[in-house]
Each structure stands twice: as structure tokens, then as C-alpha cells.
Amino acid sequence: MKASCQPVYFVLLVCFLMLVVPVFVDAQQNAPQIDPKTYGGMKWRLIGPFRGGRALAVTGVSSQPNTYYFGAVAGGVWKTTDGGVSWDPLFDKQTTSSIGSIAVSESDPNVIYVGTGEACIRGNISFGDGVYRSNDGGKTWNNVGLKDSRHIGRVIVHPTNPDVAFVAALGHAYGKSTERGIFRTRDGGKTWEKVLYFDDRTGGIDIVFDPQNPHVLFAAMWEGYRTPWTLNSGGDKDGLYRSGGL
């Protein structure tokens, strides 16, 4: 593979086909038809923030349609509560500004998890120092562990329990490390369990819940790392893995 992010796209495509398409097709069949004139004039426009740089992490709050979070690879976390009219920086006081993933709890939108360190390992990348959690909608943050994971591809939160979260950690981009793979917390980040791990070169790049059953998870593992002169993308243990229970 020539591009470092190709495994991410492959995983997203597989998850889309396996999980989202059946639900989407069913919803489309039962959804009321909307006249194209209603939305035909809509166009994309830039709404900011304008100092974030590249982004891998964007999420919203299902119960608050105008609230969104944006995580830049070198610009920290930003929040809007007015649909993008204005943005507030939330991460300026933390020790890292590289954001790999953001997840908001569905059951308690005040609880937010941020995985630091971008996992799209280009030639110029920034690393992070673990997972952060906010209990007040991003006003304050605490580092809750996995400080040596360096690059986090995804954080997800259980839909009914904000203290249960999973992290897909790629690990060190430029060397071997054991703090990589899939991690789980059941106590809001006080402790972490390594629930899927192969070796010190293969990390976790993505993880999702089955939308119909949060006891079923799909995780993607990737042996991806760089040296000053080349990129290794892929190994024998790469692939999509399924867990049948928490």
C-alpha cells in the first residue's frame, strides 16, 4: 500500500457494508419521500474553526442538534453550540494538541472522551499522551491513562453507560511498543484492560459497536509504522476482528 491511511479506509468500508447498509436500506424503504426541491439548493460551506489544520476527529451530540466537536491533528479540541456560527477552543491548557478521536456519551452528553495523537501516520505527524475525559462538556479535562499509546485511531463510548469505553491504540509510529491494541475501561478511565493485543508492532486502528447490539464489537488491527526513510503498511495479523460480548 502506498498511503498510510489506506487500512483506515478499508476498515470503514467493511464496517459500512456489514453494519450500516442493511440498516440504511431498511430505513430508506420506510422513510417518507422528500421532494428534491426542498434540499436541491443546499451547498457545502466552510464553517470553521479556521485555526485547526487537518482533522481526523469530528462528532456531534444527538440530543443537541447544534452542538459539535472538532479535533485537529495539531490544533486541539473545539466546540460549537450554534451549528458552527462560533467555535470555542477547549484544549489549550492541556499538554498536547494532537487529537486522534473524540467520542461523546449518548446517555450523558457532558461526558466526552478524547484520544490524543493522530493515527494517520504521514511523514509529518504529531503524537499524543493518552486519553482525556471531560465530565462537564469540555470545560475541564483529566488525563485518564494510556499515556504511552502515542497514536489513537478511535475512542467509542457505550451507548447507555458513560463509564464504559473502548480505545483503538496504534502505538508508537516510529518504534516498537506494547501499549497498543484494543483497550477497555469499565470505570471511566480509572483502570484499563488490554482486550486485544498481538505484538509490539500491530496496533488498533478502528473499533465500532454493532448498532443493534453494543455487546458486539468490530475492531481493526494494523501493523503500521514508519522509519525515517520508509513506511510499513500491513502485516500477517492485519484484519477485522469481532467480539461477541463485553
Side-chain angles (χ1 to χ4, degrees), residues 33-42:
Q33 297 301 309
I34 301 175
D35 188 341
K37 294 180 180 179
T38 304
Y39 57 84
M42 298 178 66

Side-chain angles (χ1 to χ4, degrees), residues 65-76:
N66 288 320
T67 299
Y68 298 89
Y69 294 89
F70 167 97
V73 300

Side-chain angles (χ1 to χ4, degrees), residues 137-227:
K139 295 178 182 177
T140 60
W141 299 89
N142 292 307
N143 188 305
V144 292
L146 303 183
K147 292 185 178 182
D148 197 39
S149 56
R150 288 293 183 97
H151 303 278
I152 291 177
R154 187 74 63 199
V155 179
I156 58 174
V157 186
H158 191 278
T160 62
N161 188 343
D163 287 335
V164 175
F166 291 81
V167 168
L170 183 63
H172 288 221
Y174 284 90
K176 297 179 179 180
S177 63
T178 57
E179 196 161 288
R180 61 170 81 232
I182 306 299
F183 294 83
R184 174 184 61 197
T185 180
R186 288 174 165 170
D187 53 18
K190 295 177 182 177
T191 59
W192 293 90
E193 305 169 79
K194 189 185 293 183
V195 294
L196 182 60
Y197 174 78
F198 295 130
D199 56 46
D200 57 10
R201 283 292 196 187
T202 307
I205 192 65
D206 207 350
I207 185 169
V208 295
F209 291 109
D210 183 325
Q212 304 300 320
N213 182 2
H215 291 279
V216 176
L217 297 98
F218 293 84
M221 303 294 284
W222 179 38
E223 184 181 317
Y225 58 89
R226 298 196 67 94
T227 68

Side-chain angles (χ1 to χ4, degrees), residues 52-72:
R54 294 184 295 111
L56 298 173
V58 179
T59 190
V61 180
S62 57
S63 60
Q64 302 171 21
N66 288 320
T67 299
Y68 298 89
Y69 294 89
F70 167 97

